[in-house]
Amino acid sequence: MDEFKEGDRLYYENFMYIAVSGTFKRAPSSTSYLDDSSDRDVGARMLVLDVAEPGNPAVVFKRMEPGKRSQLWRITDEGLLQHEGSYVPKDPRQSPVKDNAFVLDISAMAIQPTEYTPLQLRKRDPRRTYTQTWEFTKDGRLCCGYGQMCVQARHGVLGLRDGCAAVVGPSFSLLQVPAKVPVEMGIGKRRLRPGSGVLSVKVIPDGPTRVLQIADIKQLELIEHDDSSDWVVMSERRRLRSHSTEDDPKRDLKLSVNFKGIGISLVNSIPEELAYISLREIDIDYTSNIKDGQMVESSIRKIQVDNQLFDTRHPVVMYLTPKASKDRPHPDTKPALHISAHKVSNTEWNTEIFQKLNIALKKMTLLIDEQLLWKLFQFAGYNQPDTEVETLEENQFELARSVPKIDSSQTKRYFFGHLRISTSRITLSAYTASKLTPDLQAIKRRMEIPLIKFEDAKVQLDPFVQVHQFETSALLFDAAIVHYTEELKSQAAKILGSVDFLGNPLGLVNDVTAGISGFISDGNVGGLLKNVTHGVSNSAAKVTGSLSDGLSSVTMDAKHERERDQIRHEHSGSGSDQLFAGFKGLGHGIFGGLTSLVTQTVAGASRGGVEGLFSGLAKGVVGTITKPATGMLDFVAGAASAVRDTSRTSSKSRPPRMREPRSCLGPGGTLPEYSHEEAQAQKSLFMLNENDYSERFISVGQIRYARNECMKVLITSQRVYFLGKESNRDSIVLDIDHKDLYSCCYLNRENDRSYIELTMKADTQTGLPTPSDNAKKRPQVRCDLEDIAVKAAQQIMYAKNLYDEATYTLHMDSDAD
């Protein structure tokens, strides 16, 4: 152990069984070697080639018995299959017997291409090369030197029994090649013990530790051939490089790439678009030469991540923090993300060597939306049930036990002369969701990440710096996670000072400080008033909003809560919208308080009888008091929010989305290419149906183009809208539900005018769908062109068929037996 070198090799005998692969498909029981309980199951018979009995050279199929020498074979470099049980055991370090060895052969003098010849043992004979040379083919057969003649059972599957003779015969007719090798012809190798029989023993360094490595020589050769070593000997490396550059011509590569922008859309399996990542003004400069290695300078001018969920109040979750007004006159040339890397050329070692790697991130604003957060975890695969996770972990454990262990010295490592990941100040906010779906609730419980609502916490994280580090990627990643976790913990006071239920006191202090600073330096009285007003109104809005949410939960009225959330969601835009939401919330609270005693009592009685009557009465009494109080708090929060948004400075403004959420439902359920027109039509749809997101957009098209007769058709998964020039409810010309529609077809009437006729279902007692004969139930819509009318009719019928298919599809409960 004192010297790093390879010692004497260790040897152990490792023979093989020549097995019928198809008889090892089922896992054998602990007593299956001794009983005949699995004879009826071909996949569990465990048949191998054996010699019938001493003195009889015939080869037969026998059940595998561990360690039985008459079933053990070895294959030589010439392709001979030597029988172990035919001679006395010898030292494995000695060469195996060659001249007097018994090998696998056939009983006849020569092979007949159309006949089946039994197998037997014969002494090695150079004149019988074609009958004594064997090859295990890639498709799982054992063939002799004649090519298509392979070892098999004489009578097909019926011959796969204990004691039946093994024969050599034709594989299959050239005119009838099966899709896979038949069971009776599938012959493979099964080792008596794992490994090749030769173990390498050497002492190697693993950082400051000496490691005694014992590894199979074949596996070690494969690893060394693929990955070489993981430790770089600098003196040897320099010698090799200087020697190679004398013969090779100098090769330089310089590459400069500029992208205007790249957009990345994350779409889950529902399908719905979760997020849109926008990278703008990307510059990449790449230089490579033998002497200096590879150098990369890359920058991204603008980064923005949009929340593409329809019902979100926070459409942008990551963007560059806007500059303060006093800094605006000074141009900012720094990119949002800058990466500088210098990688040294290395082809001899299992190591990536970086002289430097610097990653710098500009001041960013990050908003954590709880619903989007759990959907992203779901998108990443964290939605498996606990039973599936346990099964997966058990399978990974079994796999880890079966795969030969590779010590840490054979794992690829990374050397960094200087690694630095720096983030400027991050403005961090978190917004909790009032209600989550059951699948997202399950992910939240599994992840155990506590979230509280806070806004605009100014978090300053120290850079992650590593100097002369030589570690694996997993260890480096874990070190970075630990570093930033500790940094966030150190900023806990700033986060706590920004929580909503305390009124964001740090935000108030920052606003007042910024106003006073501007007044002292520039004499900006308006800026002082604006900042103070924003800070006070923001704190008032957050305190009253938190009180309103807490008091609303006491009402114990789920319907009232849903209506209240809907009001706040519909009016969460500008300051005027916030004020209108406050007035509407006040009216909703007062009306709810006046009717609470009646509605809650009736609802309780209908659900629970007498007991429910008294329970509903109690809830009604509580709601009579809490609902108007909640409405009053909603009004104060809305008014304060309106003042806050009106007095918001430009440095606190948030950018709009880069684009509207895409339509994710294409023909046949495919994901269509992004279309601005379809995205706008989808937005219009949710305005028409009052944010019913279960109604999916399918198609939109202009059918008339004249200014005074402009009309378009909007086709969804539930209905067909014919709209005028504007996309609002007042411009709806015709609205037909798919459940009332019988058919849609194209008509060509007089003067070559093209029409779409929509036939409604007739009112019948039988319940069977029949077309209506009433002219009022067969409306016709004129189109400018025949092609437009034909296409519109086809798309309407396509949506109608999708609706019928969904209606008559039986959805099985996942929990049902």
Side-chain angles (χ1 to χ4, degrees):
M1 296 289 288
D2 293 335
E3 298 182 12
F4 297 118
K5 65 177 184 179
E6 184 173 1
D8 296 335
R9 293 180 175 180
L10 301 178
Y11 298 86
Y12 64 94
E13 198 66 82
N14 194 15
F15 300 103
M16 68 178 183
Y17 297 95
I18 303 176
V20 182
S21 304
T23 62
F24 286 82
K25 290 184 177 180
R26 247 72 71 190
S29 64
S30 58
T31 59
S32 60
Y33 296 109
L34 304 176
D35 58 36
D36 297 329
S37 60
S38 60
D39 280 349
R40 292 184 297 272
D41 186 0
V42 176
R45 292 178 183 175
M46 300 179 295
L47 298 180
V48 298
L49 295 189
D50 196 351
V51 178
E53 57 187 20
N56 183 0
V59 177
V60 296
F61 294 112
K62 282 285 188 179
R63 183 185 295 274
M64 186 182 76
E65 299 180 31
K68 185 178 180 182
R69 297 185 71 244
S70 63
Q71 295 180 352
L72 300 179
W73 307 78
R74 74 164 83 223
I75 187 167
T76 67
D77 295 337
E78 296 87 0
L80 303 176
L81 291 174
Q82 293 182 356
H83 186 240
E84 162 65 11
S86 299
Y87 55 87
V88 179
K90 293 186 177 293
D91 192 327
R93 291 173 292 184
Q94 299 179 3
S95 301
V97 179
K98 293 185 178 181
D99 296 335
N100 297 324
F102 283 87
V103 297
L104 186 63
D105 202 340
I106 64 173
S107 60
M109 295 300 295
I111 287 182
Q112 300 298 324
T114 60
E115 297 182 0
Y116 295 93
T117 308
L119 294 174
Q120 73 169 46
L121 294 182
R122 288 182 185 269
K123 285 189 176 182
R124 180 176 180 179
D125 188 350
R127 296 171 299 179
R128 297 182 62 83
T129 302
Y130 287 104
T131 60
Q132 293 185 353
T133 302
W134 303 88
E135 178 187 5
F136 290 93
T137 63
K138 293 182 179 180
D139 59 359
R141 296 176 295 134
L142 176 59
C143 296
C144 66
Y146 284 100
Q148 293 300 321
M149 306 295 289
C150 69
V151 177
Q152 56 189 285
R154 175 65 183 272
H155 301 291
V157 178
L158 297 178
L160 291 178
R161 294 189 176 276
D162 193 290
C164 291
V167 300
V168 170
S171 299
F172 37 75
S173 171
L174 295 176
L175 298 178
Q176 296 178 348
V177 179
K180 61 180 181 179
V181 175
V183 177
E184 66 273 12
M185 297 184 187
I187 306 294
K189 296 180 289 186
R190 295 183 71 88
R191 288 286 181 183
L192 177 63
R193 303 179 183 89
S196 64
V198 183
L199 299 177
S200 171
V201 181
K202 61 181 178 180
V203 179
I204 60 173
D206 185 6
T209 307
R210 289 185 176 90
V211 177
L212 177 63
Q213 181 193 67
I214 302 177
D216 188 89
I217 188 65
K218 295 295 185 183
Q219 179 188 352
L220 189 64
E221 289 174 357
L222 178 61
I223 294 173
E224 289 180 348
H225 176 74
D226 291 342
D227 300 326
S228 184
S229 176
D230 68 323
W231 291 96
V232 176
V233 182
M234 297 306 294
S235 59
E236 181 180 354
R237 184 179 178 279
R238 286 196 292 266
R239 183 176 68 250
L240 290 173
R241 186 175 64 183
S242 60
H243 174 73
S244 61
T245 53
E246 291 177 359
D247 300 329
D248 296 339
K250 187 175 182 180
R251 291 170 294 175
D252 293 343
L253 174 63
K254 292 184 178 181
L255 181 65
S256 181
V257 182
N258 307 101
F259 296 103
K260 184 177 180 181
I262 294 176
I264 302 172
S265 178
L266 300 183
V267 181
N268 62 14
S269 58
I270 291 179
E272 65 175 341
E273 188 176 29
L274 302 180
Y276 179 71
I277 305 171
S278 174
L279 309 177
R280 291 290 181 266
E281 299 182 38
I282 304 172
D283 296 327
I284 302 175
D285 293 322
Y286 174 81
T287 303
S288 175
N289 58 61
I290 296 177
K291 180 180 179 181
D292 299 324
Q294 301 156 21
M295 289 167 284
V296 176
E297 293 287 337
S298 177
S299 64
I300 302 175
R301 182 66 56 184
K302 182 180 178 182
I303 299 175
Q304 181 172 314
V305 180
D306 295 344
N307 182 353
Q308 298 295 85
L309 299 179
F310 297 129
D311 55 348
T312 183
R313 299 183 189 177
H314 314 286
V316 182
V317 294
M318 183 177 178
Y319 56 92
L320 283 173
T321 302
K323 294 175 60 177
S325 57
K326 63 179 181 179
D327 299 328
R328 295 270 172 99
H330 307 287
D332 188 3
T333 58
K334 289 179 60 178
L337 177 65
H338 180 261
I339 300 174
S340 177
H342 182 186
K343 181 174 176 290
V344 179
S345 299
N346 170 45
T347 58
E348 299 295 329
W349 315 97
N350 187 26
T351 302
E352 299 292 347
I353 305 172
F354 290 86
Q355 182 176 335
K356 69 170 184 176
L357 176 59
N358 294 329
I359 301 175
L361 190 65
K362 201 176 175 181
K363 291 182 180 180
M364 301 293 293
T365 298
L366 178 63
L367 286 72
I368 302 174
D369 184 282
E370 185 177 18
Q371 186 177 19
L372 177 63
L373 178 66
W374 303 133
K375 279 184 174 289
L376 289 176
F377 274 106
Q378 187 181 51
F379 177 78
Y382 287 88
N383 58 335
Q384 299 177 356
D386 293 335
T387 54
E388 293 185 10
V389 173
E390 292 175 0
T391 304
L392 180 61
E393 291 177 349
E394 292 176 359
N395 294 338
Q396 290 175 342
F397 175 73
E398 294 296 331
L399 180 62
R401 291 182 57 188
S402 62
V403 175
K405 299 294 184 293
I406 300 177
D407 60 70
S408 59
S409 65
Q410 296 167 346
T411 304
K412 190 170 188 176
R413 296 196 178 194
Y414 297 83
F415 174 81
F416 290 96
H418 187 272
L419 170 64
R420 180 184 177 89
I421 303 176
S422 59
T423 56
S424 299
R425 188 186 68 191
I426 297 177
T427 304
L428 188 62
S429 303
Y431 300 95
T432 57
S434 58
K435 186 176 181 181
L436 294 173
T437 57
D439 54 339
L440 298 184
Q441 286 279 11
I443 296 175
K444 180 179 180 179
R445 289 192 297 269
R446 184 176 296 116
M447 298 307 299
E448 298 181 350
I449 301 177
L451 284 179
I452 58 174
K453 189 175 181 181
F454 63 92
E455 188 174 23
D456 293 342
K458 311 296 183 183
V459 177
Q460 193 77 37
L461 304 178
D462 290 339
F464 175 67
V465 180
Q466 299 287 309
V467 180
H468 300 300
Q469 282 296 314
F470 188 36
E471 293 293 351
T472 62
S473 58
L475 289 176
L476 287 170
F477 182 77
D478 290 343
I481 293 296
V482 170
H483 169 79
Y484 285 111
T485 301
E486 294 299 323
E487 286 297 311
L488 284 175
K489 289 180 180 178
S490 68
Q491 305 289 313
K494 293 183 179 179
I495 295 175
L496 183 62
S498 304
V499 295
D500 279 15
F501 66 85
L502 296 179
N504 193 3
L506 276 182
L508 174 61
V509 171
N510 291 333
D511 284 337
V512 174
T513 302
I516 294 176
S517 176
F519 174 73
I520 294 175
S521 60
D522 303 326
N524 188 357
V525 180
L528 173 61
L529 295 175
K530 200 170 187 179
N531 278 278
V532 171
T533 303
H534 180 272
V536 173
S537 59
N538 182 50
S539 295
K542 292 187 178 303
V543 170
T544 54
S546 298
L547 290 174
S548 174
D549 290 339
L551 189 59
S552 177
S553 61
V554 181
T555 61
M556 296 176 289
D557 188 346
K559 181 181 178 182
H560 182 82
E561 279 292 290
R562 287 195 302 269
E563 293 173 351
R564 177 172 172 268
D565 288 340
Q566 184 68 20
I567 291 172
R568 293 195 297 178
H569 174 67
E570 291 178 353
H571 307 284
S572 59
S574 62
S576 58
D577 289 336
Q578 299 277 5
L579 184 60
F580 183 75
F583 278 112
K584 199 170 182 179
L586 176 60
H588 180 256
I590 294 174
F591 180 77
L594 294 176
T595 59
S596 177
L597 194 62
V598 176
T599 56
Q600 290 288 80
T601 304
V602 173
S606 61
R607 287 194 302 265
V610 177
E611 183 179 353
L613 173 67
F614 288 103
S615 174
L617 181 62
K619 291 180 181 180
V621 172
V622 173
T624 302
I625 301 172
T626 58
K627 288 178 182 179
T630 301
M632 180 60 68
L633 290 173
D634 284 339
F635 169 71
V636 175
S641 298
V643 175
R644 176 195 61 191
D645 292 345
T646 305
S647 60
R648 188 188 298 270
T649 60
S650 58
S651 61
K652 298 180 181 297
S653 61
R654 294 177 180 175
R657 276 174 172 155
M658 297 299 297
R659 62 166 177 77
E660 293 296 329
R662 72 188 303 152
S663 169
C664 297
L665 189 61
T670 59
L671 181 66
E673 182 181 359
Y674 180 79
S675 169
H676 176 73
E677 180 184 5
E678 292 183 355
Q680 291 294 332
Q682 181 176 244
K683 181 180 179 180
S684 301
L685 166 64
F686 296 139
M687 293 174 59
L688 294 174
N689 64 10
E690 298 180 348
N691 297 318
D692 180 7
Y693 302 118
S694 62
E695 185 175 3
R696 306 297 295 270
F697 167 83
I698 292 181
S699 178
V700 66
Q702 198 79 20
I703 59 175
R704 291 210 296 261
Y705 291 90
R707 179 174 299 180
N708 56 343
E709 295 183 351
C710 181
M711 181 179 289
K712 61 183 176 182
V713 57
L714 176 60
I715 306 170
T716 74
S717 60
Q718 298 180 13
R719 64 188 70 239
V720 182
Y721 298 91
F722 289 90
L723 306 173
K725 187 176 181 180
E726 302 295 332
S727 297
N728 51 47
R729 298 198 64 84
D730 295 334
S731 66
I732 297 178
V733 178
L734 182 63
D735 177 10
I736 299 179
D737 200 304
H738 288 320
K739 67 179 180 181
D740 300 325
L741 181 65
Y742 182 81
S743 67
C744 177
C745 62
Y746 155 74
L747 294 178
N748 189 358
R749 290 171 50 182
E750 67 277 1
N751 300 324
D752 292 331
R753 288 191 173 185
S754 301
Y755 288 83
I756 301 173
E757 184 181 57
L758 298 103
T759 304
M760 312 289 285
K761 293 179 181 178
D763 297 329
T764 60
Q765 299 296 328
T766 61
L768 297 176
T770 55
S772 174
D773 295 329
N774 188 346
K776 294 183 178 180
K777 290 193 173 185
R778 302 176 71 98
Q780 298 178 1
V781 181
R782 181 171 58 84
C783 302
D784 283 350
L785 297 173
E786 177 182 351
D787 293 341
I788 295 177
V790 171
K791 182 178 179 181
Q794 291 175 346
Q795 291 176 336
I796 292 173
M797 286 306 300
Y798 169 73
K800 164 66 176 173
N801 292 334
L802 288 181
Y803 174 83
D804 291 341
E805 182 179 349
T807 302
Y808 297 113
T809 298
L810 177 63
H811 298 282
M812 299 297 295
D813 187 359
S814 59
D815 297 330
D817 294 334

